[in-house]
Amino acid sequence: MDHYDSHHTNDYMQPEDDWDRDLLLDPAWEKQQRKTFTAWCNSHLRKAGTQIENIDEDFRDGLKLMLLLEVISGERLPKPERGKMRVHRISNVNKALDFIASKGVKLVSIGAEEIVDGNAKMTLGMIWTIILRFAIQDISVEETSAKEGLLLWCQRKTAPYKNVNIQNFHISWKDGLGFCALIHRHRPELIDYGKLRKDDPYTNLNTAFDVAERFLDIPKMLDAEDIVGTARPDEKAIMTYVSSFYHAFSGAQKAETAANRICKVLAVNQENEQLMEDYERLASDLLEWIRRTIPWLENRAPENTMQAMQQKLEDFRDYRRLHKPPKVQEKCQLEINFNTLQTKLRLSNRPAFMPSEGKMVSDINNAWGGLEQAEKGYEEWLLNEIRRLERLDHLAEKFRQKASIHESWTDGKESMLQKRDYETASLSEIKALLKKHEAFESDLAAHQDRVEQIAAIAQELNELDYYDSPSVNARCQKICDQWDNLGVLTQKRREALEKTEKLLETIDQLYLEYAKRAAPFNNWMEGAMEDLQDTFIVHTIEEIQGLSMAHEQFKATLPEADKERQAILGIHNEVMKIAQTYHVNMSGTNPYSTISTQEINSKWDRVRQLVPKRDQALMEEHARQQQNERLRKQFAAQANVIGPWIQTKMQEIGRIAIEMHGTLEDQINHLRQYEKNIVNYKPKIDQLESDHQQIQEALIFDNKHTNYTMEHIRVGWEQLLTTIARTINEVENQILTRDAKGISQEQMNEFRNSFNHFDREHSGTLGPEEFKACLISLGYDIGNDPQVLKLSCVVMMNNTVHSLSRNFGLVLGFLILK
């Protein structure tokens, strides 16, 4: 059988889903539908003495459409309009469409205007809707209807025939054997089915269509060419044609069924008599069992033990499991037999069966209802009793468990709350004890529910009349009394802890204040002691005066420092006072400071001792610096005289060498006298050395009163002696040269005057060019003379020589060589 959706039956009430209007665009299918639908309409219209020729034209005025609906439905439609105008036609078509809609058919997209306008597509759709509703929808075969019912009927009827496999309403009918099989199944004398061949569809189809038209009053709706010449025949046309076969054969089938019924009447009557006897017997047995069972179910005698109640429950379960099920089956069988009997009697047109008095089905149902009511009540009573006993056992066990847990939790709590451990605790320990106590209070609050539950369970046990209520009540009262006492002790301990915490916080603040002030004061004292004991090195009177001034300023801060010391000691005394007043255990030390009052006092005394010692050291150093200042001034007074004297003498020696007058012998005598005067100045140098020795012994390294150091004086003195000795030696060398070469005094003067002339800067030296100019002025041609060039090089090499006489001696030596 072909596969169909389960909702196909309802689809025929919704032709817009079944009828695919787009398929009408296929000319072959449209032709098949026109021919089939026209023939189907004429098969009904001829009963009214009329017919149609063109399906989309003859229904335009609505008259034949209304007539068709009256014929196929057997009902009268509203009176049609007889006018020829368009409005009359539309009114008639609307009446027809309204009638179709009143039969539960939903028309979508089909309007009266389209039918009146001769729209072939809409007209064919409308006719298909009518065929579905009045020719196919009411077909019912084995609980299937409409298309599925029609298809199933075809399959059942053609099942014995080979080469026939009806799966649908299109290609399954192309070979014509399906149509022939339907005719042969109902009227075998009309067709010789054995001569038909599957490969000759034209013969098969024409045979079926001709026989149906001649002998079955089924008009020829299609030609063989319409089916064979199409790849897939139109399903609607085939369904319409096949439905005509169904309606033609259904009447014959009903006659056959009536004949069979007559044959069964006697057997049915015998069966009915036996069913009546069985009913009476089963009803009597069932009612007797019900009468015996109800008193047992109505027994509500309570039991005091769970074991006894569980035994009753087990008996009831045996009744439900073993005794009642057979009776349920008997009752069901009784009702089935009664209903079957009544149905058979009704179908046989026999009077209904009337059981004996009190044995009606209603009587049995009432008795059974009483049984079930008693059973329900008994079951509810059993369960309630068991629940009550279970509840009592559960509550008693729950009470014992909760009481045991609570008593275990409270064990030792009273002694813990009465501890006075806070009296010797530090602040951090007190805070920890408070946190611990807060946790205990939270735990205590959490256990409040358990205590309330214990009391509630005890109350419920009393209400349920528990046998051991006295012991439960005594234990509950003990728990409640202990709970109240725990609450009182908890509050007292909290108050004591908070009071102690407040005192220790005050002490802690004092400790912290003490630490904040003691630490800097201690650092100040240590710094002061370090400064007072610090050795100092000064080199000037100003430095010692600065130290003395700083020391005086330090001494000026001592009164204020002493006040700070007294304040710090006052903080410590305040702590001691609080501890004595409120009996606070002060076994611990200040957590913020390691500095004790004894240490503060000790260091303060040490500072006071060091101050006069510092005074003495500063005074002694001041005196020493005063002595050093005297030595500086003494040295400076001499150095400031000797230093300029040496510089003056050096300058004088230089002028003497340049401005010499007279003979060389006069000059050397004058220089020796000058040297004698310088040597006579040596005692003053020695005195200065002595003063310098004292300064070094006094570790004096600088002297702001003079720019001369002893080293400067020594170097200057040595240079002075060297210069005068070298000058004397130069003059002596000139004398030796003059005497050896026989140079006159006038020549010497001329040489000297020329030299001084070209020494324009009076530096006592001549540069190379000045030297050449000097020689030329004396009448000497230096040209390319090797000796002159060599001498010039010597002069250039010695142009930094400081001695005038030495340069002049070079000039003189050159002239002598020439």
Side-chain angles (χ1 to χ4, degrees):
M1 184 176 179
D2 202 3
H3 297 289
Y4 294 91
D5 294 338
S6 62
H7 61 277
H8 276 187
T9 300
N10 295 330
D11 287 347
Y12 299 112
M13 299 298 293
Q14 300 177 12
E16 71 277 12
D17 294 333
D18 182 81
W19 174 52
D20 188 353
R21 295 173 178 83
D22 292 337
L23 295 178
L24 292 179
L25 297 176
D26 188 332
W29 285 11
E30 184 176 351
K31 178 183 177 183
Q32 293 175 28
Q33 289 187 14
R34 281 177 177 274
K35 186 179 293 186
T36 304
F37 292 176
T38 300
W40 182 86
C41 291
N42 286 333
S43 69
H44 294 284
L45 286 173
R46 69 187 179 184
K47 297 175 185 178
T50 186
Q51 65 179 10
I52 61 172
E53 298 297 334
N54 190 330
I55 194 168
D56 48 327
E57 289 293 334
D58 295 345
F59 285 135
R60 291 180 63 184
D61 59 3
L63 296 175
K64 290 186 178 181
L65 179 59
M66 295 177 69
L67 182 60
L68 174 65
L69 292 173
E70 288 181 345
V71 171
I72 62 178
S73 67
E75 300 179 19
R76 295 292 295 177
L77 270 69
K79 185 177 180 180
E81 300 285 346
R82 293 298 178 179
K84 300 296 184 179
M85 298 178 65
R86 176 179 173 84
V87 66
H88 298 137
R89 295 183 176 191
I90 291 175
S91 176
N92 292 335
V93 174
N94 275 328
K95 290 176 182 179
L97 295 179
D98 292 342
F99 179 77
I100 296 172
S102 69
K103 298 303 178 181
V105 178
K106 185 177 180 182
L107 296 169
V108 179
S109 301
I110 299 177
E113 292 82 358
E114 295 167 319
I115 305 301
V116 171
D117 292 338
N119 188 320
K121 182 177 181 181
M122 295 302 173
T123 303
L124 290 174
M126 178 189 67
I127 298 302
W128 172 243
T129 301
I130 294 171
I131 293 171
L132 282 176
R133 172 62 183 85
F134 294 101
I136 298 177
Q137 180 178 317
D138 294 335
I139 295 174
S140 178
V141 177
E142 297 184 10
E143 299 183 357
T144 61
S145 60
K147 180 181 178 180
E148 290 183 352
L150 182 59
L151 182 63
L152 181 59
W153 178 79
C154 294
Q155 291 172 340
R156 293 285 185 269
K157 296 301 180 181
T158 61
Y161 296 89
K162 65 177 182 178
N163 295 329
V164 178
N165 183 18
I166 304 301
Q167 298 294 329
N168 49 56
F169 287 108
H170 37 83
I171 61 175
S172 294
W173 303 88
K174 284 190 69 173
D175 57 9
L177 292 178
F179 290 105
C180 294
L182 287 176
I183 296 172
H184 187 267
R185 179 66 181 268
H186 295 89
R187 299 287 298 275
E189 74 279 3
L190 297 179
I191 293 179
D192 186 358
Y193 190 84
K195 293 182 179 182
L196 300 176
R197 300 199 319 273
K198 187 175 179 66
D199 59 354
D200 190 5
Y202 285 99
T203 300
N204 299 338
L205 290 168
N206 287 325
T207 299
F209 294 163
D210 292 342
V211 169
E213 185 175 21
R214 289 173 57 194
F215 301 102
L216 302 177
D217 197 25
I218 299 174
K220 188 175 182 180
M221 299 182 183
L222 289 171
D223 293 326
E225 292 77 6
D226 296 331
I227 297 176
V228 178
T230 306
R232 186 178 185 271
D234 182 64
E235 186 179 51
K236 300 175 181 62
I238 298 296
M239 284 180 65
T240 303
Y241 212 155
V242 173
S243 68
S244 298
F245 282 84
Y246 172 82
H247 291 294
F249 294 132
S250 61
Q253 186 175 4
K254 290 177 182 177
E256 182 181 353
T257 302
N260 293 332
R261 288 175 182 170
I262 296 173
C263 299
K264 297 180 181 178
V265 171
L266 293 175
V268 170
N269 288 336
Q270 292 176 355
E271 291 178 3
N272 291 343
E273 293 295 332
Q274 184 62 43
L275 287 173
M276 292 178 188
E277 294 177 3
D278 293 343
Y279 178 85
E280 290 286 340
R281 178 177 52 79
L282 289 174
S284 299
D285 294 344
L286 184 59
L287 287 171
E288 179 62 25
W289 179 79
I290 291 173
R291 282 191 291 271
R292 291 197 313 269
T293 304
I294 287 178
W296 176 69
L297 294 173
E298 290 178 343
N299 181 13
R300 301 290 193 273
E303 299 291 343
N304 294 325
T305 64
M306 176 64 74
Q307 184 177 2
M309 289 305 299
Q310 286 178 342
Q311 183 58 48
K312 281 194 172 187
L313 179 61
E314 188 62 32
D315 293 342
F316 180 71
R317 287 174 178 168
D318 289 342
Y319 156 77
R320 278 273 185 86
R321 186 171 57 250
L322 302 176
H323 303 295
K324 185 181 179 182
K327 299 304 178 182
V328 173
Q329 292 179 1
E330 289 179 13
K331 179 178 178 296
C332 291
Q333 188 61 46
L334 189 66
E335 292 177 353
I336 292 171
N337 291 347
F338 181 80
N339 292 332
T340 301
L341 177 60
Q342 296 291 46
T343 300
K344 288 183 176 182
L345 291 173
R346 185 172 62 254
L347 294 175
S348 302
N349 293 322
R350 297 285 302 280
F353 169 64
M354 291 297 293
S356 303
E357 184 179 358
K359 297 181 181 178
M360 294 288 292
V361 171
S362 59
D363 297 330
I364 296 173
N365 285 335
N366 290 335
W368 189 266
L371 174 70
E372 290 189 334
Q373 189 65 29
E375 179 183 318
K376 181 181 178 182
Y378 187 69
E379 183 180 22
E380 290 178 353
W381 175 78
L382 278 176
L383 295 177
N384 288 335
E385 281 296 303
I386 289 174
R387 280 195 289 265
R388 184 181 71 85
L389 293 174
E390 284 180 344
R391 179 67 176 165
L392 282 173
D393 290 347
H394 171 71
L395 287 174
E397 181 61 26
K398 189 175 181 180
F399 176 84
R400 287 190 291 270
Q401 289 180 356
K402 287 185 175 293
S404 298
I405 292 172
H406 179 77
E407 289 166 350
S408 175
W409 180 81
T410 56
D411 185 31
K413 294 294 188 295
E414 290 174 307
S415 59
M416 181 271 290
L417 292 172
Q418 293 173 342
K419 283 183 179 179
R420 304 180 68 85
D421 49 353
Y422 52 83
E423 293 181 349
T424 59
S426 63
L427 178 59
S428 60
E429 292 171 339
I430 283 292
K431 289 185 179 296
L433 288 175
L434 266 171
K435 292 291 184 183
K436 183 178 179 181
H437 190 70
E438 288 173 358
F440 172 75
E441 287 178 327
S442 299
D443 198 12
L444 188 70
H447 280 74
Q448 177 69 30
D449 289 342
R450 180 179 287 119
V451 176
E452 292 175 355
Q453 290 172 7
I454 291 172
I457 293 170
Q459 180 65 25
E460 189 171 357
L461 288 171
N462 286 324
E463 292 173 354
L464 295 175
D465 196 21
Y466 183 56
Y467 74 95
D468 198 19
S469 292
S471 64
V472 170
N473 293 336
R475 191 173 185 183
C476 180
Q477 187 61 43
K478 181 180 178 181
I479 288 173
C480 291
D481 293 341
Q482 185 186 36
W483 183 256
D484 294 338
N485 187 41
L486 284 175
V488 173
L489 292 176
T490 299
Q491 183 62 28
K492 287 183 178 180
R493 181 169 176 82
R494 167 167 277 283
E495 292 173 355
L497 287 172
E498 289 177 346
K499 179 181 178 182
T500 304
E501 181 190 31
K502 187 175 181 180
L503 288 173
L504 291 180
E505 283 180 344
T506 302
I507 292 173
D508 188 72
Q509 289 296 326
L510 292 172
Y511 272 152
L512 183 59
E513 181 66 20
Y514 176 90
K516 287 180 178 180
R517 299 179 71 171
F521 185 72
N522 181 67
N523 291 337
W524 178 83
M525 289 192 298
E526 289 180 348
M529 288 189 293
E530 183 178 354
D531 292 341
L532 291 172
Q533 297 179 87
D534 188 22
T535 57
F536 51 83
I537 299 174
V538 295
H539 300 93
T540 64
I541 190 67
E542 289 80 5
E543 291 180 357
I544 193 60
Q545 288 174 348
L547 289 176
S548 298
M549 185 178 298
H551 184 63
E552 291 300 323
Q553 291 174 352
F554 167 75
K555 289 194 294 182
T557 63
L558 290 177
E560 190 66 29
D562 190 42
K563 289 181 181 179
E564 178 66 13
R565 180 181 67 88
Q566 294 295 336
I568 294 170
L569 296 178
I571 294 172
H572 176 75
N573 294 334
E574 181 67 18
V575 172
M576 295 297 105
K577 181 180 178 181
I578 292 173
Q580 293 173 0
T581 303
Y582 296 101
H583 307 288
V584 178
N585 190 333
M586 298 300 295
S587 58
T589 58
N590 189 332
Y592 304 109
S593 176
T594 58
I595 304 170
S596 64
T597 54
Q598 294 80 4
E599 185 177 357
I600 290 175
N601 287 328
S602 174
K603 290 182 179 179
W604 176 255
D605 293 340
R606 179 62 177 160
V607 169
R608 296 296 299 272
Q609 293 171 3
L610 290 173
V611 168
K613 292 182 179 179
R614 185 71 170 184
D615 289 336
Q616 181 64 33
L618 288 172
M619 290 175 61
E620 292 175 355
E621 182 63 25
H622 189 271
R624 190 175 73 83
Q625 289 300 326
Q626 285 181 333
Q627 174 63 23
N628 289 347
E629 186 66 14
R630 184 186 64 78
L631 291 174
R632 288 191 187 92
K633 290 180 179 179
Q634 178 178 323
F635 176 84
Q638 297 183 66
N640 289 337
V641 172
I642 295 174
W645 181 85
I646 292 174
Q647 292 176 352
T648 301
K649 292 303 178 183
M650 289 288 290
Q651 292 172 358
E652 289 178 355
I653 293 172
R655 285 197 301 272
I656 291 171
I658 294 173
E659 300 174 357
M660 285 187 177
H661 301 287
T663 64
L664 293 176
E665 286 78 3
D666 293 337
Q667 292 176 13
I668 197 169
N669 291 329
H670 180 67
L671 288 172
R672 284 176 177 166
Q673 184 60 41
Y674 202 85
E675 181 183 21
K676 182 177 180 182
N677 293 335
I678 290 172
V679 172
N680 291 335
Y681 202 78
K682 182 66 167 59
K684 293 184 178 180
I685 299 298
D686 295 338
Q687 181 61 42
L688 189 62
E689 285 283 2
S690 176
D691 292 343
H692 177 68
Q693 181 66 27
Q694 294 180 23
I695 286 176
Q696 284 186 324
E697 292 174 356
L699 300 177
I700 299 171
F701 301 105
D702 58 349
N703 193 338
K704 66 179 181 178
H705 303 293
T706 181
N707 293 325
Y708 296 101
T709 64
M710 193 63 221
E711 185 64 27
H712 293 158
I713 297 297
R714 289 194 191 105
V715 171
W717 177 254
E718 293 296 331
Q719 287 180 348
L720 180 62
L721 294 178
T722 302
T723 300
I724 190 62
R726 187 171 57 244
T727 302
I728 293 173
N729 180 257
E730 287 292 334
V731 175
E732 289 176 345
N733 289 335
Q734 291 177 23
I735 293 173
L736 291 175
T737 303
R738 183 200 60 187
D739 292 342
K741 297 297 181 179
I743 298 174
S744 64
Q745 186 63 39
E746 290 78 8
Q747 289 178 320
M748 291 294 293
N749 291 336
E750 183 182 0
F751 294 158
R752 185 177 301 279
N753 290 334
S754 181
F755 181 90
N756 291 336
H757 172 75
F758 288 101
D759 185 15
R760 294 183 176 87
E761 296 180 358
H762 302 289
S763 61
T765 59
L766 294 178
E769 296 299 327
E770 294 170 343
F771 181 69
K772 293 179 183 179
C774 179
L775 293 178
I776 292 172
S777 68
L778 293 174
Y780 295 96
D781 183 10
I782 58 176
N784 294 323
D785 191 335
Q787 293 185 358
V788 174
L789 294 176
K790 181 178 180 182
L791 184 59
S792 297
C793 291
V794 173
V795 172
M796 286 189 289
M797 293 175 61
N798 292 276
N799 60 358
T800 58
V801 178
H802 297 290
S803 174
L804 174 62
S805 60
R806 186 173 182 180
N807 282 282
F808 179 73
L810 288 172
V811 175
L812 181 61
F814 172 75
L815 296 175
I816 292 172
L817 289 172
K818 296 298 287 182

